[in-house]
């Protein structure tokens, strides 16, 4: 079970089942103090973390992990409330000598089979992605 505690103003701390904390806040214009990420930002971070962990795990099993790796996430939101994500674009950036076919397979498996965050968000947003390779 996840528990959410109200700290003050618009600041909340989620206590996760794995015994960790995630702090969220809002901007001052809606009563927050801008001390932590917004809930919708945490949702995108969860998507990035979910697929990134899949990709690295798969590449390590293939014995071709990158030297470094990051994901850049771009998105659009609905203009009216609820302002859900309507499109999300993931840019997977592989640094080092990762075989293109291995990276493509890892990302595809994450997006089509393993990443539950992608599967959930795909029900309301178009999710696209690209792979970038850097030396």
């Amino acid at each position: 079970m996840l528990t959410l505690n109200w700290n003050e103003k618009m600041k909340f701390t989620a206590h996760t089942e794995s015994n960790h904390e995630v702090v969220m806040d809002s901007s001052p214009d809606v009563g927050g103090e801008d001390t932590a990420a917004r809930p919708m930002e945490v949702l995108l971070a969860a998507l990035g973390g979910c697929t990134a962990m899949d990709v690295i795990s798969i590449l390590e099993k293939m014995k071709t992990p990158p030297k470094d790796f990051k994901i850049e996430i771009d998105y659009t939101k609905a203009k009216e409330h609820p302002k859900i994500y309507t499109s999300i674009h993931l840019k997977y950036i592989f640094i080092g000598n990762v075989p293109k076919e291995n990276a493509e397979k890892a990302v595809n498996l994450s997006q089509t089979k393993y990443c539950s965050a992608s599967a959930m968000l795909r029900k309301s947003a178009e999710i696209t992605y690209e792979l970038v390779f850097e030396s």
Side-chain angles (χ1 to χ4, degrees), residues 36-100:
R38 311 299 182 261
M40 291 295 282
E41 293 172 334
V42 173
L43 184 61
L44 282 182
L47 168 64
C50 180
T51 189
M53 289 178 192
D54 289 343
V55 169
I56 292 300
S57 176
I58 293 165
L59 289 175
E60 285 180 343
K61 287 175 184 166
M62 294 177 170
K63 302 197 184 318
T64 56
K67 178 180 174 188
D68 200 2
F69 174 70
K70 65 181 174 180
I71 299 175
E72 294 177 355
I73 303 175
D74 198 11
Y75 58 88
T76 56
K77 288 171 119 179
K79 295 186 188 316
E80 302 295 324
H81 289 285
K83 295 182 181 180
I84 64 169
Y85 293 116
T86 55
S87 67
I88 300 170
H89 183 75
L90 302 158
K91 183 188 287 187
Y92 294 84
I93 303 169
F94 297 88
I95 300 155
N97 191 19
V98 177
K100 184 177 179 184

